[in-house]
Amino acid sequence: VIEMENVALQQQVLSQAKTALESLEKSRAIGFPRGYDGLGEFLTGKVLYVLFRWDEAVAPLEKAIQQWPAARVEAYEKLLDIE
């Protein structure tokens, strides 16, 4: 029973991540609001990471490191995991 609950929870997280990624990609296409480029890149990279799309997560995480200092540690950690 617990294993089935974990699978259901994982599926829910992946579904939410896919929805978030769609919104982030739309925002990225038109341009994140001024001053939020780094945050947008970080969130995009983080969601791609959660979705196991690691190759695609690298570029936004690297941009986030440069553009949004608050995310540097977490972005570096994710990049190290990807390598």
Side-chain angles (χ1 to χ4, degrees), residues 14-77:
L14 292 175
S15 175
Q16 290 174 347
K18 288 176 185 175
T19 300
L21 183 60
E22 289 172 12
S23 295
L24 287 162
E25 287 177 336
K26 286 177 187 176
S27 293
R28 185 192 234 177
I30 61 172
F32 292 117
R34 183 173 299 167
Y36 289 89
D37 290 337
L39 176 59
E41 294 294 344
F42 173 71
L43 293 174
T44 300
K46 187 173 180 176
V47 170
L48 287 165
Y49 177 89
V50 167
L51 291 170
F52 304 100
R53 291 168 57 179
W54 296 316
D55 290 342
E56 295 172 68
V58 171
L61 289 172
E62 287 176 343
K63 287 180 186 175
I65 288 168
Q66 299 299 317
Q67 298 175 352
W68 199 51
R72 280 191 184 137
V73 172
E74 190 174 350
Y76 274 123
E77 288 173 348

